[in-house]
Amino acid sequence: MDTDFDSLPKVKDMPQGCAWGVFDKDGKKDILGTLNLLTPSVIKAALSEARDGVSISLNWPLNAMSVPLPGRIPPTHKQMTLREAGISEGTGWDDEIHFNTQLSSQWDSLVHWQHQPSGLAYNGITVTKEALSVANTAANNMPTLDHWHDAGGLVARGVLIDFKEWAEKWAISEGKTGEDAISHPLDGHRITVQELEAVAKFQGVEFHPGDVLIVRTGLTEVLGAPRPEDFAKLQHGKISGVHGVLESAKWLWNKHFSAVAGDAWAFEALMPLKEDGSPGGPNDLFLHPWLLSMFGMPIGELWDLKALSEHCKASGRYSFLLTSAPLNIPGLIGSPPNALAIF
Ligand code: UVW
């Protein structure tokens, strides 16, 4: 599916660039979105990236977030003997975990955030408590993450855009030193399309259709061990990420990425802007509705990219085989990605 943004078929009452119906097959409403770009030939090409025998986990620990998030409670992890669990008199252990799927490294499924103000999710579906109660069963036909398992999970070529590394090199080359040379992920820098392209050029990497774009700002490294000055910065609610404007949405679609991810809180820069360019709030997220609802493009957030960045820098290679299998629970809205970068 290589139709560009401006040529996508018009969808009634929706802005130009809405991909509803584009991936439908045999009269059935599609539930995988841009994961459809991962055809056998795209996957075979991605496999050729795995040639050095090095595998790197991109999963931040579930309990790594050291900053309290409203509504997103820390996970609880209970370990118990088999006897305590009422399973066996023998010696051994089980555990139970309770957690919000948006708390650490995660995928946002296509029902996580809807187009505003229509309230419609990908492919025009309406997400209600009733619909989700059906989605919680084997009869689920909503675009939730469990369906990735029917598709064999996500196997793709990943491309790291190490914005943090690039921005710091650029600052130093401009004669900036000390704090001025440090690209701080809590400065709320809005990464433009031109900057994404410039980093790719600097790293010597090209994008291919079906790639997963992964953008590093350095956020998880700060949030994992915040200093007092980081807490002070956090009060302003500014977090660096991809600039939430139509130009970015168009570029992400036109590159035909199968998904996007990063270490930022929301992939896009926070706080978002209102339509008139004035400072907005969480209701003004721009890329979430475009990517999840209009394109069907999943968003990965809070991925741990430190080890990946170090390996890419040392090897000079910024593309790799990416594998990811979310949890397999009917109706799953968000999930740890279980993501691996394999070189
Ligand atoms: C925000 O919290 C802004 O985004 P998400 O719900 O995707 O984590």
Side-chain angles (χ1 to χ4, degrees):
M1 224 308 299
D2 53 6
T3 312
D4 81 347
F5 184 96
D6 293 328
S7 310
L8 280 166
K10 177 84 192 113
V11 176
K12 190 171 173 294
D13 299 331
M14 298 303 285
Q16 177 58 35
C18 181
W20 297 354
V22 161
F23 295 112
D24 290 358
K25 261 189 242 102
D26 307 327
K28 267 185 83 181
K29 251 187 188 310
D30 173 60
I31 49 176
L32 287 174
T34 47
L35 254 55
N36 281 290
L37 298 172
L38 298 172
T39 59
S41 64
V42 168
I43 294 175
K44 273 203 277 182
L47 293 177
S48 70
E49 297 283 344
R51 47 184 187 265
D52 299 336
V54 175
S55 175
I56 297 170
S57 168
L58 309 182
N59 307 288
W60 212 26
L62 258 188
N63 62 352
M65 176 66 80
S66 57
V67 178
L69 301 183
R72 288 175 177 165
I73 51 160
T76 55
H77 181 196
K78 183 174 161 193
Q79 292 142 319
M80 57 215 155
T81 63
L82 295 181
R83 185 182 302 203
E84 284 164 343
I87 291 165
S88 158
E89 292 301 307
T91 309
W93 294 82
D94 266 17
D95 54 5
E96 286 174 6
I97 307 173
H98 178 98
F99 67 101
N100 182 302
T101 56
Q102 300 282 328
L103 187 79
S104 182
S105 299
Q106 74 205 248
W107 280 118
D108 286 352
S109 78
L110 309 185
V111 299
H112 173 56
W113 204 280
Q114 269 81 79
H115 170 257
Q116 321 286 332
S118 73
L120 296 173
Y122 174 61
N123 245 345
I125 66 156
T126 304
V127 185
T128 59
K129 281 242 154 110
E130 293 72 43
L132 285 174
S133 69
V134 177
N136 285 344
T137 69
N140 180 23
N141 62 5
M142 296 179 87
T144 51
L145 292 167
D146 38 305
H147 296 297
W148 289 23
H149 287 267
D150 298 331
L154 179 148
V155 179
R157 177 174 179 263
V159 172
L160 176 69
I161 290 296
D162 199 335
F163 174 78
K164 183 173 173 62
E165 187 70 26
W166 175 83
E168 292 183 355
K169 281 218 164 74
W170 179 84
I172 290 163
S173 75
E174 293 289 294
K176 299 187 197 303
T177 52
E179 275 296 301
D180 280 354
I182 295 168
S183 154
H184 199 291
L186 297 177
D187 284 344
H189 180 79
R190 300 179 191 280
I191 305 172
T192 63
V193 163
Q194 292 72 28
E195 286 172 327
L196 294 169
E197 298 266 21
V199 183
K201 195 168 169 207
F202 174 76
Q203 294 176 174
V205 71
E206 287 183 356
F207 301 113
H208 302 164
D211 283 354
V212 176
L213 170 72
I214 303 178
V215 180
R216 174 172 175 260
T217 63
L219 183 70
T220 52
E221 289 140 62
V222 171
L223 292 187
R227 302 161 305 166
E229 56 269 38
D230 299 325
F231 279 109
K233 276 183 187 280
L234 261 174
Q235 302 310 314
H236 300 123
K238 289 184 186 171
I239 301 190
S240 301
V242 174
H243 196 6
V245 287
L246 192 58
E247 186 187 18
S248 310
K250 279 190 178 193
W251 184 84
L252 293 168
W253 174 266
N254 287 341
K255 288 286 171 202
H256 306 295
F257 294 124
S258 56
V260 296
D263 58 357
W265 200 310
F267 183 72
E268 58 192 291
L270 296 178
M271 280 293 162
L273 301 174
K274 289 191 182 298
E275 251 176 61
D276 63 5
S278 63
N283 291 345
D284 301 304
L285 279 180
F286 185 87
L287 290 179
H288 270 56
W290 268 104
L291 303 190
L292 298 176
S293 304
M294 314 263 259
F295 297 164
M297 188 180 286
I299 302 175
E301 296 159 356
L302 295 173
W303 287 22
D304 180 358
L305 304 179
K306 186 165 188 280
L308 179 66
S309 162
E310 282 164 3
H311 184 80
C312 290
K313 195 172 153 186
S315 64
R317 185 143 83 86
Y318 287 80
S319 61
F320 40 87
L321 172 66
L322 179 77
T323 66
S324 164
L327 295 175
N328 192 356
I329 302 175
L332 199 64
I333 294 164
S335 173
N338 291 317
L340 298 177
I342 304 160
F343 289 81

